[in-house]
Amino acid sequence: MKLKILGLIGIRSGSKSIPDKNIRPLAGKPLVGWIIEKAKKSKYLNRIVVSTDSEQYAEIARSFGAETPFIRPAEFAADTSTDLDWVKHVVEWLKNNENYQPDIIVRLIATVPLQTVEDIDAVIEELLKDPEANSAVVIAEASQSPMKALKLVDDGRGGKYLVGYFTGKGVDVTATLRQSHVKAYFRANIVAFRPEVIYKTNSMTGDRVRYHVIPQERAIDIDNEIDFFIAEQLMNRNRK
């Protein structure tokens, strides 16, 4: 029997860093349009649902071919709402209103527009290859090791001084060779998971997590004007 694999995209309207970020034009189309178009081309996703608290956003999502079966309640669209909050709401709404229960859910976001359909399909395949895996996540190598992070602490005299973020020691402010640290990765924000995981572990990943690695440039997550500029430049370069 064919698996029911659901693509979920969340686009709330209350962005503070960039107003209406999720529908702002990027290289000629609304930001959310990029990820919907990629999701529509996936050979595994057989349903794409957008969760949004805005009818305007919902209309744009529908124009690119996604479903918007409801408007997200305000309690799941606040600044303090987590991804898990709105994902659970979608899962429960679809079950209660349509008796629809997917075998796999793929959480996608609009703010990583350079990811490809191959990235979506590859992370789904990683999960399918391991029946014991709870999830699979798209990741990219971090440009710097977290061990090189620094923080400011009070000096006890009304000022601050600099120390290593994890050790709290000034000596760890000294520059170290990148090669001396174990490679670190960050989430590139595609997460494929089995639905039961969100209830058993109160997370989208669980404890057994597979992965698919992509280049840093495809993992750019738009949070500010600089990110928008970089993403647009990369898209224009890729078109040449």
Side-chain angles (χ1 to χ4, degrees), residues 1 9 104 115 123 150 164-165 170 205:
M1 186 172 66
I9 302 168
I104 290 174
Q115 292 189 353
V123 77
L150 309 173
Y165 189 89
T205 57

Side-chain angles (χ1 to χ4, degrees), residues 18-37:
I18 302 175
D20 286 324
K21 174 175 63 177
N22 287 307
I23 60 169
R24 175 169 163 171
L26 174 70
K29 70 184 67 170
L31 184 58
V32 69
W34 290 100
I35 193 64
I36 295 175
E37 286 186 344

Side-chain angles (χ1 to χ4, degrees), residues 174-192:
T174 301
T176 55
L177 290 173
R178 180 183 181 186
Q179 293 85 350
S180 67
H181 298 286
V182 176
K183 281 186 178 181
Y185 298 86
F186 62 92
R187 290 179 303 277
N189 282 317
I190 296 178
V191 183

